[in-house]
Amino acid sequence: MSLNDSLEGDVRDFLVNEAELHTYDDLTKVNPVTPTTVLKCLQARYSARVFYTHAGCTLVALNPFQPIPHLYSLDVMREYHSAPQPQDFKPHIFIVAEEAYRNVQGQVEPVDQSLVVSGESGAGKTWTSRCLMKYYATVAASSHKCQDTVERIERRVLDSNPVMEAFGNACTLRNNNSSRFGKYIQLQLNSSQLLVGASVQTYLLEKTRVAFQAPNERNFHIFYQMMKGATEKQRQEWEMPYNQKFSWLPNADKTLEEDRLQETAEAMISLGIDTDKRTQIFRVLASILQLGNVNFSLASESQPCDLDEESKGSFLYKTATLLQVPVDELQDCLTVRTLRAGKQNVLLKPCSQSECVIRRDCLAKVIYAQLFEWLVTFINNSMCSDNSKWCNFIGLLDVYGFECFLLNNLEQLCINYANEKLQQHFVAHYLKAQQEEYVAEGLEWSFVRYQDNQSCLDLIEGSPTGILSLLNEECRLNRASDAKQFRVRLEKELSGNTRMSWDKFSKQPHFIVAHYAGRVSYQIEGMMEKNKDPVPPELLSLLQKSKNPLLQSLFAASDAEGNGSRAQSKVVTVVSKFKNSLESLMKILHGTTPHYTRCIKPNPDCRPLTFKKEEVITQLEACGIVETIHISAAGFPIRVPYASFLQRYGLITKTSLPGGTGYNVSTFLPHYLGGESGEEASLGPVVQDILNAVLKTSDSSTNPNNNNLMVHCGKTKVFLTHGMLELLEEQRDRVRSQKAFCIQCCWRRYQRRQRAIRTQSATLIQAVVRAWLVRREVRRWHKAASVIQARWRSWRAQMDALAEAELDNAEDLLEEEESCSLPLSSIPEPVAVHGWPLGLAMASAPNITVALTATGFQKVMSLMATLKIPFRHGEYKVETNQFDQGVASIRAQPRGSVKLHLRRSPLRYADMHPGQNADGVTGFNQILLEKT
């Protein structure tokens, strides 16, 4: 009593601050953890419009029953995907999706992941699965690699949802969009974590809904979409007049968001279903609706049942036209049964009215079931990738939730059986296996009690005295089904099981099973017929004769299977097939890392933002949320073997392995990963050194008691909390950054040295080349200077010789003139010229006059040849007046006998443009003048 009083006091103290209850985003922080405190926190968060809450290793999702677009926008997806630590954000379904996606990338061990979305019908599982698929399609499309393939697969994965929901979902009492089948979607990822394909596995379609709908429930969505969204042309093509009523479409006046034919048709186009196939699909669906209007009248035992006038003249004819089968054969198959006596004898027996109705319903159910299987196969072929192109997958499990109606039959038994298996997987993985592993690894642990549903599973699937085994045995007996007799046998075999009970005051044969989520009463009437699921062979042969290509392909394979099954004595029942498929699903789940999301239905009426405590507390207790919180708060959700731990975090410290060898992943990991537990246990001290090094660098080093709460080293594994895992990842990233920085420094230093060597080599080469070029140029200069000097000396010698020759000729001329007795006064006195060079004369004035004492044109030519003046037109202009002015010596003062107008100087360094001062002498002539 004292303990109870203390607990109640703690609960009262915790609930005092109601204003702070909505701030608990993780229920493991609640103290104390009781159903009351957990319920109050969820109610406060729901009132604050916060619909996601962490419950340890699971996520609790409350259905708001109204659209919240901003909560699932593309910006929110990118925000959670790009966050370094998504756990620091508010609880969201995208955190679970991102955690699974990063685990595939291999934070510790890259393994396949599974996201299990569970809950009652109407809790929001289908919407949650749809958000998860959209998230992964967006994340995979964020890369530009293989963009075309990613966009195609992404679009087809998303478009498979509207098609699957249209053909497999229906409106029930508990949910407007209830999944009437289970599906497991594998999103296939390549080594770059890009979406390259997907596949869908389905489980137990509730095909009985085609021909029977409970009160206030509807048929599958696709039929209402056709009736409400078809155009006038489509109505004529499908034989569906606007004002026609259909018996199998109750509550047609109820309009739902899912009644959108255009969206379904666009999704079928995106999946690759061409126009002809779509036309054939809708004609087959329309034939099912017309078949539902066919009614039979009473007849004698010797005569087959007849049809009323409207059914025979209209509905049956439209059905045959749409199925493209003969009307007479269709009527015969519905009203006459074929019996075989031996191998050749065939007997025809008229069917009663009830038998005709059963055959009519059977025809509709088998057509719809085969059409649904064909759609699933087509979707898989359109988006499934080759095994060589993907290496990991993320699985999304969306199954029907736990159901309890006024009338429950075989469908509800299978659905609740599947939910029991999922709950058992949750219990075995999170509640039972973890605690047993803690004890085996040497942790100090006190067991937390939890509700184990293994006894309920033994009751349902036990052999040979389980419900399913007894039901199969009853169906294999070659006798008519008797519900009362089967109830008596159940009481006899299972009366000692506490999970089984009966209502003594009920007149209908039934049995009650105490499931983990509540007690459910199942009606036995009709259960054996549904389990047998017989299909008359004449119906199959009729469908195989159809001219509709789609129907021919649907039932060509079923005929071969039917012949094979008739050859066997063992009958394959619905329960057997469902049990086998469920076992294969559980095998897949056990081979992956599961992530559980618990969807909670706040109220039974699906009213927005309405929270009913009784409804929520029942679901919390049924799925074991409180026990999960206890174990998650006190336990370690992450368990890593020593070898895998060292493979990832061994670089944090420089630790030597047992035996004195240094740490080297490539040498020791293959040995320890495949070794025994004793060898792996020897790695414990190395792991402890790494953990101590990480804890010293963290803030928790100030409080050593916190270390035991964050990490524990077992015998062969290290147990971590999420906080410790974050510390390890941060330290690992820090060490990797340091190593990367060191590598970058060494690489940059190497590059700089190589660049300096290349620069030095290039400089040396350039210096050698420049020196060679300079020497070559200097040699050219020396050679040119030598040529110039030689030419100059030659010209100078020629000028001196010419001057001396002219002086001698002038003296001879004077003597000759004196002999001719010419007056001396008429001859001007010669001017003494001391060997003026021609360049100096040319530089003296622009118009140069040279007096030549030689006579005749030959003398002038000899002078020009001596000066080496080229004979070019327009270069020089020579004017002579020696015969008019007389002959004078070159040494005399120039008087303009001969005028040479030079455009180019014969000397390389002569002044080409003399100044205005006639006396100014520059350049090479100045040098000569100074020497003179």
Side-chain angles (χ1 to χ4, degrees):
M1 293 295 298
S2 60
L3 291 177
N4 292 334
D5 294 340
S6 176
L7 180 60
E8 291 179 359
D10 294 340
V11 171
R12 286 194 300 269
D13 294 340
F14 177 78
L15 298 179
V16 167
N17 299 324
E18 293 187 3
E20 298 181 358
L21 293 180
H22 71 280
T23 61
Y24 287 89
D25 55 359
D26 193 340
L27 296 178
T28 56
K29 301 177 183 178
V30 175
N31 189 17
V33 178
T34 64
T36 303
T37 56
V38 172
L39 180 66
K40 284 291 185 179
C41 287
L42 291 177
Q43 184 179 12
R45 292 177 65 82
Y46 192 75
S47 301
R49 300 201 173 196
V50 182
F51 308 108
Y52 291 103
T53 307
H54 289 299
C57 52
T58 63
L59 180 70
V60 177
L62 296 171
N63 194 346
F65 292 112
Q66 68 178 13
I68 313 223
H70 68 275
L71 196 60
Y72 307 97
S73 62
L74 293 177
D75 294 335
V76 176
M77 293 182 187
R78 297 188 182 98
E79 183 180 3
Y80 278 90
H81 178 58
S82 60
Q85 297 294 337
Q87 291 80 8
D88 297 338
F89 285 59
K90 294 180 180 179
H92 202 287
I93 187 61
F94 294 157
I95 291 183
V96 180
E98 184 63 24
E99 182 181 357
Y101 186 73
R102 296 190 182 187
N103 285 353
V104 171
Q105 291 178 321
Q107 195 176 59
V108 177
E109 292 182 355
V111 295
D112 299 328
Q113 309 290 310
S114 289
L115 286 85
V116 182
V117 183
S118 60
E120 289 191 1
S121 179
K125 301 184 301 299
T126 301
W127 172 259
T128 302
S129 301
R130 194 185 306 170
C131 292
L132 290 171
M133 292 178 65
K134 188 176 181 181
Y135 180 83
Y136 286 123
T138 303
V139 168
S142 62
S143 177
H144 296 288
K145 300 178 181 179
C146 306
Q147 190 67 25
D148 296 338
T149 303
V150 170
E151 288 182 355
R152 179 177 63 84
I153 297 300
E154 168 207 353
R155 177 49 48 197
R156 293 192 174 185
V157 167
L158 295 180
D159 287 336
S160 65
N161 263 336
V163 177
M164 300 287 285
E165 291 182 11
F167 284 83
N169 290 20
C171 175
T172 64
L173 291 174
R174 301 178 62 86
N175 187 7
N176 290 337
N177 189 29
S178 176
S179 298
R180 308 318 302 163
F181 71 105
K183 64 175 179 291
Y184 184 70
I185 304 174
Q186 284 187 350
L187 302 178
Q188 300 161 351
L189 306 176
N190 61 7
S191 57
S192 301
Q193 278 68 52
L194 292 179
L195 185 64
V196 296
S199 64
V200 182
Q201 301 177 25
T202 59
Y203 307 95
L204 190 64
L205 174 70
E206 189 188 15
K207 60 183 180 180
T208 56
R209 183 170 291 270
V210 175
F212 173 78
Q213 302 82 34
N216 298 324
E217 292 192 356
R218 300 203 320 175
N219 209 325
F220 291 104
H221 292 322
I222 186 63
F223 295 113
Y224 298 91
Q225 293 178 1
M226 293 175 59
M227 189 180 68
K228 297 181 180 181
T231 62
E232 190 63 30
K233 180 180 178 181
Q234 289 174 335
R235 288 183 178 276
Q236 294 178 1
E237 185 179 359
W238 301 341
E239 302 286 347
M240 293 176 60
Y242 185 78
N243 56 352
Q244 184 178 1
K245 302 296 182 181
F246 297 98
S247 301
W248 287 348
L249 290 186
N251 303 311
D253 54 342
K254 185 177 182 180
T255 303
L256 300 179
E257 182 184 357
E258 289 74 21
D259 296 339
R260 292 179 291 187
L261 179 64
Q262 186 63 28
E263 181 180 352
T264 303
E266 292 177 354
M268 295 172 72
I269 295 173
S270 177
L271 290 172
I273 303 177
D274 55 24
T275 305
D276 295 338
K277 286 295 182 183
R278 293 198 306 274
T279 302
Q280 296 168 14
I281 290 172
F282 287 117
R283 286 179 64 86
V284 170
L285 294 174
S287 69
I288 294 176
L289 293 179
Q290 298 292 346
L291 184 62
N293 287 349
V294 175
N295 295 319
F296 303 93
S297 59
L298 290 174
S300 60
E301 295 183 359
S302 60
Q303 297 294 328
C305 290
D306 198 5
L307 285 72
D308 55 27
E309 295 182 359
E310 188 177 8
S311 297
K312 188 174 182 179
S314 177
F315 302 139
L316 187 66
Y317 175 78
K318 289 182 180 180
T319 302
T321 302
L322 293 171
L323 292 177
Q324 298 184 14
V325 297
V327 180
D328 297 338
E329 293 187 15
L330 176 60
Q331 183 176 355
D332 293 340
C333 290
L334 295 177
T335 57
V336 179
R337 183 173 55 175
T338 302
L339 300 178
R340 294 184 179 275
K343 297 182 179 180
Q344 298 179 352
N345 298 330
V346 177
L347 301 177
L348 300 179
K349 180 181 179 181
C351 298
S352 63
Q353 184 182 18
S354 59
E355 291 176 343
C356 291
V357 172
I358 292 174
R359 293 170 76 88
R360 178 201 63 186
D361 297 346
C362 180
L363 178 61
K365 290 186 293 184
V366 71
I367 291 176
Y368 193 83
Q370 290 296 113
L371 179 61
F372 185 81
E373 291 296 327
W374 180 88
L375 273 174
V376 173
T377 304
F378 189 93
I379 291 173
N380 284 332
N381 293 336
S382 66
M383 62 184 185
C384 189
S385 179
D386 296 335
N387 293 334
S388 59
K389 295 182 180 179
W390 62 277
C391 53
N392 294 102
F393 69 85
I394 297 178
L396 306 179
L397 180 61
D398 176 20
V399 296
Y400 12 60
F402 183 82
E403 293 183 349
C404 179
F405 300 127
L406 294 177
L407 297 177
N408 303 285
N409 210 284
L410 182 65
E411 294 84 4
Q412 282 68 42
L413 178 62
C414 293
I415 288 172
N416 294 337
Y417 168 53
N419 282 272
E420 289 284 355
K421 292 290 287 186
L422 292 177
Q423 177 66 14
Q424 192 263 349
H425 177 264
F426 175 79
V427 169
H429 185 270
Y430 281 114
L431 305 182
K432 184 178 180 180
Q434 285 191 15
Q435 298 190 85
E436 291 178 352
E437 189 174 17
Y438 293 157
V439 176
E441 289 288 334
L443 276 73
E444 296 181 0
W445 182 262
S446 59
F447 271 87
V448 177
R449 294 183 179 181
Y450 55 89
Q451 181 181 356
D452 194 351
N453 65 333
Q454 186 61 45
S455 59
C456 184
L457 283 174
D458 295 338
L459 171 66
I460 297 175
E461 65 179 4
S463 180
T465 59
I467 296 176
L468 300 184
S469 300
L470 295 176
L471 181 60
N472 286 334
E473 185 178 347
E474 185 72 20
C475 292
R476 292 189 182 100
L477 297 177
N478 189 14
R479 66 184 182 186
S481 301
D482 190 348
K484 294 182 179 180
Q485 186 177 359
F486 183 65
R487 180 183 182 276
V488 171
R489 186 176 183 187
L490 289 177
E491 289 183 358
K492 178 181 179 181
E493 299 290 343
L494 303 174
S495 59
N497 196 309
T498 57
R499 294 274 186 170
M500 190 81 164
S501 61
W502 292 267
D503 186 3
K504 298 181 180 180
F505 300 99
S506 177
K507 297 180 180 180
Q508 298 294 332
H510 73 287
F511 60 90
I512 300 174
V513 177
H515 293 281
Y516 76 96
R519 295 164 58 88
V520 180
S521 175
Y522 297 99
Q523 303 297 322
I524 301 179
E525 190 68 38
M527 187 173 290
M528 278 75 75
E529 287 77 8
K530 290 182 179 181
N531 190 32
K532 293 177 183 178
D533 194 23
V535 180
E538 51 268 24
L539 294 180
L540 295 178
S541 62
L542 174 67
L543 295 174
Q544 290 164 6
K545 296 176 183 178
S546 172
K547 297 180 180 179
N548 189 324
L550 179 60
L551 285 177
Q552 291 179 356
S553 63
L554 291 181
F555 292 95
S558 64
D559 180 54
E561 294 176 0
N563 293 333
S565 63
R566 284 193 297 269
Q568 299 176 357
S569 60
K570 185 177 181 180
V571 179
V572 180
T573 61
V574 172
V575 167
S576 299
K577 291 189 291 185
F578 180 72
K579 184 178 179 181
N580 292 334
S581 61
L582 192 59
E583 288 178 355
S584 65
L585 172 64
M586 300 310 298
K587 185 178 181 180
I588 294 175
L589 293 180
H590 283 296
T592 61
T593 300
H595 304 265
Y596 269 87
T597 300
R598 294 290 193 180
C599 295
I600 302 296
K601 190 176 182 180
N603 63 86
D605 303 324
C606 302
R607 287 182 293 178
L609 301 177
T610 302
F611 192 91
K612 293 294 185 66
K613 297 180 182 178
E614 298 80 6
E615 183 79 10
V616 175
I617 195 65
T618 302
Q619 298 176 59
L620 293 178
E621 292 176 350
C623 60
I625 289 295
V626 177
E627 293 84 356
T628 304
I629 297 172
H630 275 295
I631 295 176
S632 299
F636 303 92
I638 301 170
R639 303 172 299 278
V640 186
Y642 284 157
S644 299
F645 182 87
L646 289 176
Q647 185 179 15
R648 184 166 183 85
Y649 303 109
L651 52 85
I652 294 179
T653 59
K654 297 180 180 179
T655 309
S656 60
L657 291 173
T661 59
Y663 176 79
N664 190 345
V665 176
S666 60
T667 57
F668 88 89
L669 275 183
H671 172 70
Y672 284 100
L673 284 172
E676 298 179 354
S677 60
E679 297 178 350
E680 194 167 352
S682 62
L683 300 176
V686 183
V687 173
Q688 191 67 47
D689 293 341
I690 297 175
L691 295 173
N692 293 334
V694 174
L695 292 172
K696 286 180 181 179
T697 58
S698 64
D699 296 334
S700 62
S701 60
T702 57
N703 189 2
N705 295 328
N706 292 337
N707 298 346
N708 295 329
L709 301 178
M710 298 178 64
V711 62
H712 184 87
C713 291
K715 298 178 180 179
T716 60
K717 294 182 180 179
V718 55
F719 296 83
L720 308 170
T721 61
H722 287 288
M724 188 62 197
L725 181 64
E726 292 177 4
L727 291 177
L728 285 168
E729 289 294 324
E730 291 177 0
Q731 185 66 17
R732 180 176 181 269
D733 292 340
R734 190 180 301 112
V735 172
R736 291 181 66 186
S737 299
Q738 295 174 356
K739 302 296 184 182
F741 180 74
C742 180
I743 294 173
Q744 290 174 353
C745 291
C746 295
W747 174 248
R748 288 169 182 165
R749 181 169 60 248
Y750 170 77
Q751 284 187 322
R752 186 169 298 176
R753 288 178 178 176
Q754 294 297 318
R755 188 164 51 250
I757 294 174
R758 290 194 297 269
T759 302
Q760 184 178 3
S761 301
T763 304
L764 180 60
I765 294 173
Q766 291 175 355
V768 172
V769 172
R770 289 193 185 105
W772 179 79
L773 292 175
V774 169
R775 288 195 296 269
R776 188 182 67 173
E777 191 68 20
V778 169
R779 285 195 295 269
R780 288 180 59 192
W781 292 348
H782 288 171
K783 185 177 180 180
S786 300
V787 172
I788 292 173
Q789 290 174 358
R791 292 295 178 90
W792 168 251
R793 293 189 184 99
S794 176
W795 179 79
R796 183 69 179 272
Q798 291 177 1
M799 291 299 101
D800 291 342
L802 180 60
E804 292 178 0
E806 288 180 353
L807 291 177
D808 294 339
N809 292 338
E811 291 177 358
D812 294 340
L813 182 59
L814 289 176
E815 291 178 356
E816 186 176 348
E817 288 180 353
E818 288 178 357
S819 64
C820 294
S821 302
L822 293 176
L824 297 175
S825 59
S826 61
I827 301 174
E829 296 181 359
V831 180
V833 179
H834 300 283
W836 287 8
L838 183 59
L840 184 58
M842 291 166 58
S844 299
N847 293 330
I848 303 172
T849 303
V850 181
L852 301 175
T853 56
T855 59
F857 184 74
Q858 295 180 352
K859 198 68 175 177
V860 176
M861 298 302 294
S862 64
L863 175 61
M864 295 178 68
T866 304
L867 295 175
K868 292 186 178 180
I869 299 176
F871 296 92
R872 297 179 184 175
H873 179 71
E875 293 289 337
Y876 306 99
K877 184 178 179 182
V878 181
E879 295 180 359
T880 178
N881 57 358
Q882 65 184 35
F883 299 104
D884 295 336
Q885 300 294 334
V887 179
S889 173
I890 193 173
R891 292 180 179 273
Q893 184 177 1
R895 300 214 177 175
S897 290
V898 180
K899 295 181 179 180
L900 301 177
H901 300 278
L902 305 179
R903 295 185 183 178
R904 291 185 180 179
S905 172
L907 299 178
R908 183 174 181 180
Y909 297 98
D911 192 0
M912 295 290 293
H913 302 285
Q916 298 296 330
N917 186 8
D919 297 334
V921 180
T922 60
F924 194 70
N925 295 326
Q926 183 180 2
I927 298 174
L928 297 177
L929 184 59
E930 291 176 356
K931 288 185 179 182
T932 306

